[in-house]
Amino acid sequence: MQGWVRRGLILLALVAVVPLARLLQSLLSKVFGQGDGEISAFAIDHAIGALPTLVICVVICLLLWWLRDHYSKTGWVLATCTCVAVFGALNFAAEIAITSAPKPRGDDNLHRFPYPYIQFKGASASGEHNRLGYGGPVPEQVKRDGEYRIFFLGASTVRFGDPPIPDLVQRIFSEEGFENVRVFNFGVSGSNSGMDLARLVFEVLPYEPNMVVIYSGGNDINLPLVADPRPGYPFNFMVYENHPLYAKDYPTVALTAYGSYLVRLIARQYLSEKFGGRERLRRDTDWNTDAWRGRIADAYVRNLEVSARIAGAFGSKLVAFLQPSLLTKANPSQEERELVAHYSKLADLSADSLQAHEDFIRDSINARLLKSRRPPDFRYDDLSQIYDASETATFSDLIHTHQQAKTVVAQRIFETLRDMLAGERDPDHSS
């Protein structure tokens, strides 16, 4: 009887390790960190998160070993205990390694924090965004007399840079003597044209914009290849849609397995399909067909046209720029050709098929916009070939450029906006 009491105390002590570790984490955070539970100088932050799984594995091993006399083959018990112990140790190491690894900028909740109506935007509490969740200055609620407000919408190519494109455009306006012009950056990492439309309605219009600039297209065209394949949908909408709490059959086994970082590495494809359903959506949407690509172009054009009509109803002009892509550059460097090969593998397509995908959608967008009856206050400009003269490396991935290349786009945008401003001052001016 005393032996079982001893073993029970051991199990209780093991279970108590987890809350004690949490307490230790809190104490260390207050001493060495900011008191918020994050300790940048210690891996204990990540190790504590893996403790429950490790404790469970140790408990299972102990129980099996203590019950070994009830089995005819102790070798089976020993093998099972070894496997469980190895799994626990590897999972513990995997959690520390993965959670300690730096995350790509824009790929975490600091830049894609859930927000009503607009899907997501930057987390203002992160310190990397203003109080509205965007970059740069916050517009005053009441517009000053004579102030001309220009709001930029788009994705990470708008939001980020050193400085980003909207800041470069503001600098040129200031250098050219347009002291009344103020440019605001409302870009959000991962945004597409539908999300831009939602931000226009719910976030921008209350600040009385005189002009709205949408610099986009890259995410609309490319994200359906690798993320949610439905034309016009936010790239991660399938994840929201397949939330376990919404499921008719709660995925207990899959969620339990998902709690292990080691299982996430081994069964990545299974878990991705279980919680995202991308392959099913691809089948339902006729993924990688010209009809599907046509719907992508239709969604983009429709979002721009609706944005222009809404902006016009509120007395604002809208200028849309179809952003350039690595696949539209006439003379890619060797480094850029290697990038194309990399992204073609991610999309499960050959480089030629990836190129054909891009060309088809861009041609369709231009054909639709040229044929459509655009509102008078809607200006559209295709920047696909803006880097054709460059033979050096311009792009760092499919749509993001190196900093020096941003000045080329900023100058082109400035010239377009300047001409439109001149047209406002002189009604007979051709814009």
Side-chain angles (χ1 to χ4, degrees):
M1 189 69 179
Q2 291 180 349
W4 285 109
V5 171
R6 242 186 350 261
R7 292 172 180 179
L9 291 175
I10 292 173
L11 293 178
L12 288 175
L14 284 172
V15 173
V17 166
V18 176
L20 288 175
R22 295 286 185 188
L23 178 61
L24 176 62
Q25 179 190 32
S26 177
L27 292 174
L28 288 174
S29 174
K30 291 177 181 178
V31 175
F32 299 101
Q34 302 297 320
D36 57 0
E38 297 293 331
I39 318 164
S40 58
F42 293 90
I44 191 172
D45 237 11
H46 310 299
I48 288 173
L51 272 177
T53 305
L54 184 61
V55 168
I56 290 172
C57 290
V58 173
V59 168
I60 291 174
C61 288
L62 287 176
L63 288 174
L64 286 174
W65 186 249
W66 290 336
L67 294 170
R68 67 186 183 279
D69 294 337
H70 294 270
Y71 299 97
S72 58
K73 296 182 179 180
T74 57
W76 176 88
V77 175
L78 181 61
T80 303
C81 289
T82 302
C83 291
V84 173
V86 169
F87 173 84
L90 290 176
N91 182 76
F92 191 74
E95 179 141 352
I96 296 175
I98 294 173
T99 55
S100 300
K103 298 178 181 178
R105 188 175 190 182
D107 279 354
D108 54 35
N109 285 335
L110 295 181
H111 307 295
R112 294 169 182 167
F113 192 78
Y115 200 81
Y117 309 114
I118 62 173
Q119 190 74 9
F120 53 75
K121 61 178 177 178
S124 57
S126 69
E128 297 193 32
H129 309 275
N130 59 34
R131 61 179 176 82
L132 298 179
Y134 302 110
V138 174
E140 297 175 2
Q141 195 64 52
V142 179
K143 186 161 59 173
R144 299 175 185 176
D145 291 340
E147 181 181 356
Y148 194 94
R149 291 183 168 181
I150 301 175
F151 286 78
F152 270 74
L153 293 171
S156 52
T157 50
V158 169
R159 172 64 184 89
F160 298 118
D162 189 22
I165 290 173
D167 289 14
L168 293 171
V169 174
Q170 175 71 82
R171 180 184 298 175
I172 301 173
F173 268 116
S174 299
E175 292 172 351
E176 294 293 327
F178 292 84
E179 298 179 358
N180 64 323
V181 172
R182 295 200 66 197
V183 179
F184 300 98
N185 186 345
F186 272 51
V188 171
S189 177
S191 179
N192 64 9
S193 60
M195 294 171 62
D196 293 339
L197 169 57
R199 286 204 307 287
L200 169 66
V201 174
F202 292 104
E203 303 277 280
V204 172
L205 290 178
Y207 291 102
E208 303 180 61
N210 297 95
M211 186 179 293
V212 176
V213 176
I214 298 181
Y215 180 77
S216 65
N219 285 343
D220 291 77
I221 295 171
N222 293 306
L223 286 181
L225 281 173
V226 295
D228 196 316
R230 289 170 290 187
Y233 275 61
F235 81 98
N236 63 347
F237 193 79
M238 61 185 181
V239 178
Y240 285 89
E241 197 173 42
N242 287 281
H243 194 287
L245 294 180
Y246 300 153
K248 293 181 181 179
D249 299 320
Y250 192 79
T252 306
V253 175
L255 275 179
T256 302
Y258 190 78
S260 166
Y261 273 71
L262 186 60
V263 173
R264 289 193 208 180
L265 286 175
I266 298 172
R268 182 183 183 90
Q269 185 172 353
Y270 164 76
L271 293 174
S272 295
E273 185 61 24
K274 186 69 176 179
F275 298 120
R278 185 182 65 174
E279 294 305 317
R280 173 181 55 81
L281 292 174
R282 283 183 171 185
R283 291 191 297 270
D284 293 344
T285 56
D286 297 324
W287 181 79
N288 197 28
T289 64
D290 285 347
W292 171 73
R293 280 182 269 272
R295 293 197 297 274
I296 292 175
D298 286 340
Y300 180 75
V301 171
R302 181 176 62 251
N303 289 332
L304 292 187
E305 291 180 334
V306 172
S307 297
R309 294 185 183 280
I310 292 176
F314 283 81
S316 176
K317 296 180 181 295
L318 186 133
V319 193
F321 294 92
L322 181 59
Q323 66 187 120
S325 161
L326 171 55
L327 295 168
T328 67
K329 187 182 177 186
N331 300 298
S333 65
Q334 179 59 35
E335 176 186 339
E336 289 171 326
R337 292 191 187 95
E338 292 173 358
L339 283 173
V340 171
H342 170 71
Y343 282 99
S344 65
K345 291 180 181 178
L346 289 180
D348 298 324
L349 297 173
S350 66
D352 290 341
S353 296
L354 188 63
Q355 183 70 58
H357 169 86
E358 184 95 13
D359 293 343
F360 184 98
I361 297 178
R362 287 179 181 266
D363 290 344
S364 299
I365 288 171
N366 286 323
R368 285 159 171 74
L369 284 173
L370 288 174
K371 292 178 181 177
S372 66
R373 297 179 60 185
R374 298 201 303 270
D377 290 331
F378 176 27
R379 174 79 173 265
Y380 168 74
D381 193 0
D382 181 4
L383 303 185
S384 296
Q385 273 69 54
I386 196 169
Y387 294 122
D388 278 0
S390 174
E391 296 183 359
T392 58
T394 303
F395 289 88
S396 56
D397 60 26
L398 279 184
I399 58 174
H400 294 93
T401 66
H402 299 300
Q403 182 60 35
Q404 66 270 19
K406 297 183 190 296
T407 59
V408 178
V409 167
Q411 182 64 38
R412 174 74 166 268
I413 292 177
F414 163 75
E415 291 170 359
T416 301
L417 304 187
R418 179 196 59 195
D419 292 345
M420 294 185 70
L421 279 169
E424 290 184 17
R425 294 170 182 172
D426 180 6
D428 296 326
H429 185 278
S430 177
S431 58

